[in-house]
Amino acid sequence: MIKIISVVGARPNFMKIAPFVHAIHASNARRRDPIDHLLVHTGQHYDEEMSRAFFQDLGIPEPAINLEVGSGSHAEQVGHTMIAFEKVLRKEKPDWVVVVGDVNATLACSVTAKKEGARLCHIEAGLRSRDMSMPEEINRLVTDRLSDLLLTPDRLSSENLRNEGVPEENIVFVGNIMIDTLDVNREKAASLNIEGICAANRITEAISDPSIIPRSGYALMTLHRPSNVDDRAILSSLVNFVCREVAVQMPLIWPIHPRSEKRLKQFGLWDTVIATRNLVMLKPIGYLEMLRLNMDARVLLTDSGGLQEECTVLGTPCLTFRWNTERPITLKENGGLSMLVGNEVDRIRQGFKWALATDRKAVRPELWDGQAATRCLQAVMDAAQRMN
Ligand code: UD1
């Protein structure tokens, strides 16, 4: 019997692990020799809205173990996770550890798994922004360097790994597992009511009235990258732009990340934001709610990686507040719908004009077909046999 531990830590991990866990359950229902599987949550994200809500929305079973690591500096997060995860590995002795994405939990558990002699599989391998100031890029490089099996979402990522000398037999192009989650949940999300989502999640101090939200023709924004929200001058210029140039043209919905809320308050920008009439400030919202809002947004303003991909498949023009991306397949020059606008207002303004002049157009890159999780599990089982 093969024993697998899969790991999640932070919000963007949950939509990637859900289909993998479901694929294991489906496979176990058919097997004589079931996979022994444990889900470990490192606890990097712990707020109800940042964690538990996603388990509920996506039908992920309660994690077998929660390391409850919580927030802290990167070294604190990674260090505490490694110490706690090492104990789990020594007790459980899995054959394989499966990690997803690029957050601190991914890095910490990869290093620990390898040191404890488990085989390591990385789902969403090979993405490269080539920007070493991003913590996620460091996490990706280390995780991929240590992984025995590297499952990639697109051919460009496989090529990146080949160029770094990863042996061909360790790379499997499986497609984008997050799109499995999108496909499964699309119908359920479509039944939600936009005004209802805004009313239920609004930050009550904000003066905006959620009933201003039309069925479509609104802008949707998320911001959380340290490069955008941790610098007072940059965050001020972004806030000024969206309040004075976006929210005057159309309603703007902004579900706020805890990091960004803290910074807005610290930099004295909170009062401006909540006093903007057309800007509907929301608490962090669940997966289905975000999917619903994205489906009818006129434009999405974001610095998230995953949302660039979801916009591609849903057909929402997306302005990405970054100078580079590890997901070039989503860019408009490569057939997607995302435009890199950095965090300079002139460029964002140009991008905003482009987005308003661009019609929705859904695009499906190769193997973003809703079946990636089955291919991931098959790849793990094949590799387990080959590397036995
Ligand atoms: C992390 C990931 C990032 C991902 C993002 C999605 C890393 C290096 N970064 O960034 O790649 O895009 O998650 O959200 O792993 N906080 C809470 N409650 C929570 C979680 C966080 O209040 O449940 C606050 C804390 O003040 C914390 C801060 O948010 O210090 C940042 O959290 P952290 O997990 O360190 O990084 P994120 O910015 O969320």
Side-chain angles (χ1 to χ4, degrees), residues 109-145:
C109 293
S110 298
V111 176
T112 318
K114 277 314 274 182
K115 290 206 168 188
E116 286 301 305
R119 297 275 187 200
L120 179 65
C121 166
H122 184 203
I123 298 181
E124 204 186 64
L127 297 181
R128 296 288 180 268
S129 67
R130 310 194 196 285
D131 174 356
M132 293 294 276
S133 69
M134 281 181 78
E136 292 83 358
E137 184 70 358
I138 300 168
N139 296 346
R140 288 181 205 115
L141 284 167
V142 175
T143 301
D144 284 346
R145 185 69 188 82

Side-chain angles (χ1 to χ4, degrees), residues 259-272:
R259 173 194 280 275
S260 312
E261 179 172 343
K262 250 184 218 168
R263 295 298 186 221
L264 287 173
K265 288 179 176 163
Q266 182 187 338
F267 299 151
L269 297 165
W270 184 249
D271 290 345
T272 309

Side-chain angles (χ1 to χ4, degrees), residues 42-46 66-73 76-77 80-81:
T42 69
Q44 178 176 343
H45 284 176
Y46 45 86
N66 191 323
L67 306 179
E68 295 183 357
V69 166
S71 298
S73 71
E76 283 166 342
Q77 267 182 359
H80 290 146
T81 307

Side-chain angles (χ1 to χ4, degrees), residues 9-12 43-51 70-74 77 102-106 134-136 139-140 224-226 229 257-260 262 303-305:
R11 185 168 65 177
Q44 178 176 343
H45 284 176
Y46 45 86
D47 281 357
E48 170 73 25
E49 299 106 354
M50 298 293 285
S51 179
S71 298
S73 71
H74 286 251
Q77 267 182 359
D102 55 17
V103 301
N104 285 342
T106 314
M134 281 181 78
E136 292 83 358
N139 296 346
R140 288 181 205 115
H224 74 284
R225 297 246 165 237
V229 303
H257 186 287
R259 173 194 280 275
S260 312
K262 250 184 218 168
D303 56 12
S304 148

Side-chain angles (χ1 to χ4, degrees), residues 4 20 22-28 30-31 35 123 149 151 174 372-383:
I4 300 177
F20 187 69
H22 296 146
I24 292 180
H25 289 173
S27 163
N28 277 354
R30 294 189 305 266
R31 277 170 186 278
I35 297 164
I123 298 181
L149 178 63
L151 306 181
V174 291
T374 309
R375 289 189 286 270
C376 289
L377 183 58
Q378 190 57 50
V380 174
M381 300 310 277
D382 292 348

Side-chain angles (χ1 to χ4, degrees), residues 289-307:
E289 294 166 317
M290 190 64 194
L291 185 55
R292 178 67 193 95
L293 294 182
N294 195 350
M295 280 175 179
D296 276 309
R298 184 73 197 80
V299 49
L300 200 122
L301 315 171
T302 190
D303 56 12
S304 148
L307 278 167

